[in-house]
Amino acid sequence: MSLRLRLTILYSALTGGILLVFGILLYPLVNLMLVSQVDETLHQTFYQLRTNAHVGSDGKLNIAGLADLDMVSGVYVQVWGVDGNLQASSGGHLLQPLDPANLSSAHPVYHDTLVQKVHFRVLTVPLVAGGRPVGSLQLASSMNMIYTTRQRFLVILAIITFISIIIAAVSSWLAIGQALSPLATVTATAMQISQTDDLSRRIPFRGSDQDEIGRLITAFNETLERLEQLFSSQQRFLADVSHELRTPLTVIKGNVDLMRKIGTADEESLLGIEEEADRLTRLVGDLLLETQAESGKLPLYFAPVELDTLLLEVFKEMRVLARERVLLKLTEIDQIMVNGDRDRLKQVLINLVSNAIKYTPQGGEVYLSLARVGENARLIVRDTGQGIPNEDLPHIFERFYRAEKSRSRSKMGGFGLGLSIAYWIVTNHGGRIEVNSAEGKGTTFCIWLPIHDPRKQKRPDGEQVPIQPGGNN
Ligand code: ADP
């Protein structure tokens, strides 16, 4: 059963139910009002009669004007003596008491009776003269009017309920249809997407994005957007990986072919194979890190780290790489402790320093410094190298991104993964990485990390406090 039909049935049933409850409450109320109106008439008539009643010298009761009364008020009256004889009645030939059960009642009493198949409301009033009972008066009014009115009320209620249910059903069918119509578009678009694998489609929607449907469509479109991004990034990733794998594999294959042709394993070919195998190993290692980082599965083992010792260590190792080609200098070093994963932080430093050396020509300089700035450690890696073109700067932290120049010199350049890994590591240490570069003049990378403060580093629950580094370079 469709949602539209279910909601329509629900609304109609609700309308019918409300009217039914309303009727159930109203019916006894109407009945009570009608009966009390009859009771009032009987009561009024009794007061009227009382003024006309007197006890004769024979001790008998006389009442004048019963016939007139009958004509006017539709009240039938019987006067009964204490001896049980009917003394007077307002016309008719009824000789039995209107309400035999209450004839000798000592108090006025109202009672519903059936006399000759006609329903009556009877008021029995004991008559007392000089302190002694002289008889009783029974006044009756037909209940036909009440029954007819009650019946009409029920019929009208049923008609109103029926018409209301029809109106509720039709109007809710139309209104729900109108409200749910965008869902049909959502379904159609989702079907088209699954049939054509086209994630670029979006659901057209012109209504308010504040209501439930609007929010659903916005969320759906955002999900599609994200899926499209993920899908295309995955495709790009695969294309990049295959591209990066192809070059070393081609070189290895070329060298193997050459060795086969010449019949010996010459040193140059073996060296070429070894270099490319190393390159492949690096690529696979970087890829593993990158995918782990992206999927949030790269574990970081936090512990207090002496950043100055770490920087010195990297400085010494990198001096070997720089050799005579580039001058590597340590300009400033403060004693600073941070809370972090030592190996990963070292990896960041090695990436930045090796890049600086790699992209700085012979005779250039690379400067390293570590300083305390307020609550943060500021690490700078500055080189006097080729610099990064302005158009490449916003992208260098993206996966596989390499500036045009480095791309053409692919033998020297890496895979464009180092900076994206460094970015992930620094931001996951609550820090920030910035770059400034001028083409032909050099590049400066600046890393900000929150200084380790044992007093406010941990919350009572052991959760890491996110610290935003302040200051700028
Ligand atoms: P790669 O392994 O290619 O160096 P990275 O992610 O480390 O990858 O760097 C991305 C790109 O940023 C490099 O290809 C290079 O174009 C540019 N780059 C990084 N560091 C420097 C630098 N110090 N000087 C000039 N260009 C740099």
Side-chain angles (χ1 to χ4, degrees):
M1 197 192 291
S2 73
L3 179 64
R4 187 183 187 185
L5 188 59
R6 264 187 289 157
L7 285 175
T8 304
I9 291 174
L10 182 75
Y11 279 133
S12 314
L14 258 177
T15 311
I18 290 170
L19 285 169
L20 201 71
V21 171
F22 179 70
I24 288 171
L25 293 176
L26 203 62
Y27 182 77
L29 203 72
V30 168
N31 190 38
L32 197 75
M33 278 164 60
L34 290 169
V35 171
S36 63
Q37 212 174 351
V38 172
D39 289 356
E40 183 61 26
T41 310
L42 293 175
H43 193 243
Q44 290 294 331
T45 313
F46 166 71
Y47 269 93
Q48 239 175 305
L49 283 174
R50 209 170 58 161
T51 51
N52 298 347
H54 62 273
V55 182
S57 52
D58 54 353
K60 283 197 173 177
L61 190 67
N62 289 314
I63 293 181
L66 286 186
D68 294 350
L69 190 79
D70 187 33
M71 299 289 288
V72 177
S73 62
V75 176
Y76 186 76
V77 184
Q78 284 182 333
V79 185
W80 292 89
V82 272
D83 49 5
N85 290 326
L86 180 64
Q87 299 198 343
S89 72
S90 59
H93 311 287
L94 189 66
L95 297 176
Q96 293 87 36
L98 287 160
D99 179 8
N102 292 308
L103 193 58
S104 47
S105 165
H107 308 283
V109 55
Y110 291 97
H111 192 227
D112 293 345
T113 58
L114 193 66
V115 180
Q116 293 178 346
K117 294 184 185 163
V118 180
H119 287 277
F120 280 101
R121 180 82 174 158
V122 180
L123 168 64
T124 306
V125 190
L127 296 171
V128 179
R132 69 183 179 88
V134 291
S136 60
L137 200 63
Q138 288 201 321
L139 304 99
S141 177
S142 164
M143 295 280 274
N144 274 354
M145 219 268 287
I146 292 184
Y147 288 154
T148 319
T149 311
R150 279 199 312 218
Q151 246 167 4
R152 280 191 192 147
F153 174 77
L154 279 181
V155 172
I156 290 171
L157 203 67
I159 292 173
I160 288 177
T161 307
F162 181 71
I163 292 175
S164 304
I165 289 174
I166 299 281
I167 292 174
V170 172
S171 54
S172 50
W173 176 261
L174 294 175
I176 294 165
Q178 166 114 34
L180 294 183
S181 66
L183 287 185
T185 326
V186 177
T187 317
T189 312
M191 302 262 285
Q192 280 168 2
I193 289 169
S194 66
Q195 277 162 9
T196 58
D197 287 337
D198 180 6
L199 285 172
S200 65
R201 282 173 195 262
R202 297 289 175 273
I203 299 162
F205 182 59
R206 278 175 295 281
S208 155
D209 59 359
Q210 292 306 314
D211 63 16
E212 288 81 351
I213 302 275
R215 283 205 295 272
L216 172 79
I217 289 178
T218 311
F220 192 79
N221 280 341
E222 280 171 7
T223 310
L224 284 177
E225 182 102 34
R226 183 87 191 104
L227 276 177
E228 192 186 8
Q229 275 172 9
L230 285 175
F231 189 62
S232 61
S233 117
Q234 198 189 22
Q235 280 184 322
R236 245 196 349 258
F237 182 72
L238 274 177
D240 287 338
V241 171
S242 352
H243 179 78
E244 292 301 335
L245 286 174
R246 207 169 41 203
T247 320
L249 287 175
T250 314
V251 175
I252 290 172
K253 174 115 185 35
N255 279 317
V256 170
D257 283 350
L258 185 70
M259 286 191 294
R260 188 173 288 129
K261 238 182 237 164
I262 58 176
T264 60
D266 71 307
E267 192 53 34
E268 202 182 330
S269 304
L270 283 174
L271 198 70
I273 290 173
E274 193 181 9
E275 268 178 12
E276 293 309 320
D278 285 347
R279 212 170 132 73
L280 276 177
T281 311
R282 273 202 324 274
L283 173 62
V284 171
D286 280 358
L287 275 176
L288 193 68
L289 270 184
E290 174 69 27
T291 44
Q292 277 181 329
E294 285 237 332
S295 61
K297 285 183 188 144
L298 182 61
L300 290 175
Y301 302 103
F302 283 84
V305 178
E306 287 173 359
L307 210 52
D308 44 314
T309 317
L310 186 68
L311 185 63
L312 265 176
E313 202 175 301
V314 172
F315 172 69
K316 281 179 195 155
E317 284 175 24
M318 287 291 116
R319 245 194 336 208
V320 181
L321 186 75
R323 276 174 276 142
E324 302 297 307
R325 203 176 67 80
V326 175
L327 177 70
L328 184 63
K329 267 189 176 175
L330 193 59
T331 55
E332 183 185 9
I333 186 155
D334 284 352
Q335 262 192 350
I336 295 176
M337 190 92 103
V338 295
N339 188 40
D341 185 323
R342 194 176 197 281
D343 291 346
R344 297 291 167 228
L345 288 176
K346 184 172 179 184
Q347 187 177 5
V348 173
L349 287 177
I350 288 177
N351 277 350
L352 293 188
V353 180
S354 62
N355 271 353
I357 294 171
K358 198 159 58 180
Y359 298 113
T360 301
Q362 171 105 30
E365 287 145 22
V366 174
Y367 299 100
L368 308 181
S369 75
L370 169 65
R372 175 189 292 266
V373 181
E375 301 261 283
N376 297 289
R378 188 191 63 191
L379 247 164
I380 292 178
V381 179
R382 183 168 70 85
D383 65 59
T384 58
Q386 66 188 45
I388 303 168
N390 269 343
E391 64 270 23
D392 291 318
L393 263 185
H395 305 289
I396 55 161
F397 293 110
E398 287 171 17
R399 203 169 59 187
F400 286 114
Y401 193 86
R402 284 170 302 175
E404 210 39 62
K405 274 186 191 167
S406 338
R407 217 171 290 193
S408 49
R409 300 157 69 182
S410 71
K411 179 105 178 131
M412 176 187 97
F415 313 106
L417 289 172
L419 284 182
S420 88
I421 293 173
Y423 183 88
W424 186 90
I425 293 172
V426 171
T427 47
N428 278 277
H429 274 76
R432 202 169 76 219
I433 183 165
E434 294 163 352
V435 58
N436 274 308
S437 189
E439 231 183 321
K441 289 192 178 154
T443 306
T444 306
F445 280 94
C446 181
I447 293 173
W448 296 88
L449 285 171
I451 288 177
H452 175 61
D453 182 348
R455 280 166 299 138
K456 55 179 183 178
Q457 209 66 14
K458 292 260 176 194
R459 285 184 180 163
D461 56 6
E463 198 187 316
Q464 195 84 26
V465 181
I467 300 164
Q468 283 306 310
N472 221 325
N473 70 331

